[in-house]
Amino acid sequence: MKVLDMNDLTADLQKPAVQPLLITGAHGTLGRAFQRVCAIRGIETVSLGREEMDITDPISVEKAIAQHNPWAVVNTAGYVRVDEAEADFERCYRENTTGPAIVAAACAYREIPFLTFSSDLVFDGNKSAAYVETDTPSPLNVYGNSKRLAERDVLACMPNALVVRTSAFFSPWDEYNFVYFALRAGHHKQAFEAADDVLISPTYVPDLVNESLNLLIDEEKGVWHLANQGSYTWADLARLAADMANLDTSFVVPRSMQAFGLAAARPMYSVLSSEQGNMMSSVEERLGRCVSEMMHNISNLSEEPIAVAS
Ligand SMILES: NC(=O)C1=CN([C@@H]2O[C@H](COP(=O)(O)OP(=O)(O)OC[C@H]3O[C@@H](n4cnc5c(N)ncnc54)[C@H](OP(=O)(O)O)[C@@H]3O)[C@@H](O)[C@H]2O)C=CC1
Ligand SMILES: Cc1cn([C@H]2C[C@H](O)[C@@H](COP(=O)(O)OP(=O)(O)O[C@H]3O[C@@H](C)C(=O)[C@@H](O)[C@H]3O)O2)c(=O)[nH]c1=O
């Protein structure tokens, strides 16, 4: 029988810690979804908010990567206020273009994998069939252009980087998405205007995270389109979700996108498909899975007593 000595007992303590997956933009919708999914899949992560890792600051990026020694970096950080970006363009380019390029350079130097996210808004909507990875971006707004330039700059400094184009998030895990807005309006019997002339690919965030992780682990590279199957106008999406929630869909008020008078132009068509395999389920199947959870959260929130000043 081997008698353990102090070296044996402390040996484990000296084993190198498991290298984590580093996630930027920790407090955002996608960042928090990565933390949830990685916990479910048993993937060790370190999730950093802007204060711990500002992707636009090379020193902050270097310090964070040196401190945590990750096996890979997932960049979920970004500027997503599409309309505000038209005037706030310096910050939009800083956070969507400069930041990802800085992180890509740091990953390339260490030869560790890098995943970042782009958008369907890199396209101009003039195609009559689903956009695939080899279609040429031609963005209509500042946000879309910041993403196009990020794709160019990230892949120029790190050709093995993985860039996932996606669109129109929906998820039961946070309320900052269009489907939540629509269901909450329906629950409160409030009119909800929705564009009925813009076709998009809604994306179920848990699927996006799982498929992105699978591509990263498989060491895939370049541009990949990840969105759920099925193309909808925003109004169709609102009515489909409402119907699945057994709500009367008449609260959805169809409008042309132009009638919204939004500061940023949107492509009238930005449906995404992939030349590299469509791996995600249908929007309908995923909506059916999460609408009841969303309605549960909405009705709980609306029943919470409203705190009144004493
Ligand atoms: N939402 C959608 O429908 C879609 C999103 N995408 C892309 O997915 C990614 C994530 O989007 P989403 O989760 O919705 O966005 P969120 O706005 O929910 O999260 C983005 C996070 O990035 C952080 N951030 C911004 N700038 C920096 C910085 N310089 N350093 C570190 N963190 C920073 C923000 O922090 P703070 O709160 O401090 O600003 C925020 O927490 C983005 O790249 C977006 O373009 C693509 C297609 C569709
Ligand atoms: C389009 C639309 C939006 N809205 C509301 C929802 C939201 O509060 C606001 C703006 O909508 P959205 O921001 O979802 O629309 P938009 O900015 O086009 O959404 C985009 O986000 C960026 C980050 C992307 O990358 C795109 O893929 C897409 O998801 O207007 C409606 O009420 N009805 C509508 O028909």
Side-chain angles (χ1 to χ4, degrees):
M1 178 181 76
K2 180 175 187 317
V3 178
L4 288 179
D5 65 22
M6 190 47 74
N7 288 335
D8 291 307
L9 294 175
T10 56
D12 274 358
L13 296 179
Q14 288 148 7
K15 267 187 190 157
V18 170
Q19 281 184 282
L21 177 65
L22 191 156
I23 300 166
T24 74
H27 308 307
T29 293
L30 193 55
R32 283 182 289 124
F34 263 93
Q35 293 164 67
R36 278 181 81 138
V37 171
C38 286
I40 294 165
R41 291 179 59 164
I43 298 173
E44 186 84 16
T45 60
V46 58
S47 300
L48 304 178
R50 179 200 295 269
E51 56 289 345
E52 296 122 336
M53 178 175 169
D54 177 344
I55 65 169
T56 64
D57 174 355
I59 306 295
S60 174
V61 169
E62 286 299 331
K63 277 183 176 174
I65 293 177
Q67 178 185 348
H68 297 289
N69 186 30
W71 65 269
V73 176
V74 174
N75 177 50
T76 76
Y79 184 107
V80 298
R81 297 180 297 280
V82 175
D83 294 302
E84 288 179 36
E86 294 298 299
D88 196 11
F89 53 88
E90 286 169 341
R91 180 172 173 183
C92 179
Y93 283 115
R94 199 165 51 246
E95 297 184 349
N96 281 356
T97 307
T98 307
I102 289 171
V103 183
C107 291
Y109 177 73
R110 285 169 178 76
E111 296 182 353
I112 58 173
F114 177 58
L115 160 62
T116 194
F117 289 87
S118 188
S119 165
D120 60 321
L121 296 192
V122 300
F123 295 118
D124 60 12
N126 291 333
K127 195 179 170 192
S128 55
Y131 283 95
V132 292
E133 288 89 347
T134 48
D135 283 322
T136 304
S138 172
L140 301 180
N141 55 49
V142 167
Y143 166 83
N145 197 42
S146 74
K147 288 295 181 180
R148 175 185 71 89
L149 295 174
E151 294 177 7
R152 180 197 68 180
D153 296 352
V154 162
L155 292 170
C157 82
M158 188 177 180
N160 288 343
L162 176 59
V163 179
V164 169
R165 284 196 197 121
T166 184
S167 75
F169 286 178
F170 67 96
S171 163
W173 291 346
D174 86 7
E175 62 206 50
Y176 307 106
N177 62 82
F178 174 83
V179 171
Y180 232 104
F181 296 144
L183 290 176
R184 191 162 47 209
H187 177 73
H188 294 292
K189 298 184 177 20
Q190 294 161 344
F192 181 79
E193 294 187 341
D196 65 348
D197 57 354
V198 170
L199 270 173
I200 47 121
S201 290
T203 304
Y204 181 58
V205 173
D207 280 353
L208 172 66
V209 173
N210 271 303
E211 289 309 324
S212 300
L213 281 170
N214 294 342
L215 294 175
L216 184 67
I217 291 163
D218 290 347
E219 298 182 350
E220 296 297 350
K221 61 183 180 183
V223 176
W224 283 69
H225 285 181
L226 288 183
N228 290 89
Q229 305 297 311
S231 57
Y232 296 82
T233 68
W234 292 98
D236 289 340
L237 183 60
R239 281 190 287 258
L240 178 64
D243 193 43
M244 287 181 169
N246 298 316
L247 294 172
D248 175 346
T249 60
S250 59
F251 74 93
V252 178
V253 179
R255 283 276 183 278
S256 71
M257 182 54 103
Q258 192 179 4
F260 282 87
L262 297 175
R266 269 53 170 201
M268 300 308 280
Y269 179 93
S270 61
V271 175
L272 297 178
S273 183
S274 174
E275 288 165 322
Q276 307 182 89
N278 290 320
M279 300 161 281
M280 289 164 60
S281 305
S282 71
V283 171
E284 196 153 352
E285 195 279 331
R286 287 322 199 208
L287 258 186
R289 190 187 278 209
C290 71
V291 160
S292 52
E293 184 179 350
M294 288 175 158
M295 289 307 290
H296 176 75
N297 297 341
I298 289 167
S299 48
N300 275 0
L301 274 175
S302 57
E303 279 151 23
E304 271 180 3
I306 298 170
V308 289
S310 52

